[in-house]
Amino acid sequence: MTAIFIPEGNLFRATEHAGGPWSPDMLQGSATTGLMVREIERRNGAAISRTCPCG
């Protein structure tokens, strides 16, 4: 699996795979959202099964 972010201490460094489709200088939204969800799960100690009502 290719890393999108690499941990560096308490921070994460974006790799070249985190670039968005419009510019390599802009991060793609799904990558940053995944990183945010990882931190929420880490702080809460459980996986998020659903974040919003569907249907």
Side-chain angles (χ1 to χ4, degrees):
M1 181 177 284
T2 303
I4 296 174
F5 294 97
I6 297 174
E8 291 185 348
N10 291 332
L11 303 174
F12 287 85
R13 181 175 54 86
T15 68
E16 65 275 6
H17 303 291
W22 295 279
S23 169
D25 297 329
M26 298 173 67
L27 296 179
Q28 58 175 302
S30 59
T32 54
T33 301
L35 191 60
M36 180 182 67
V37 169
R38 176 193 180 276
E39 182 62 14
I40 291 169
E41 290 178 344
R42 187 187 70 80
R43 289 179 180 244
N44 292 325
I48 298 173
S49 60
R50 193 168 103 179
T51 59
C52 64
C54 299

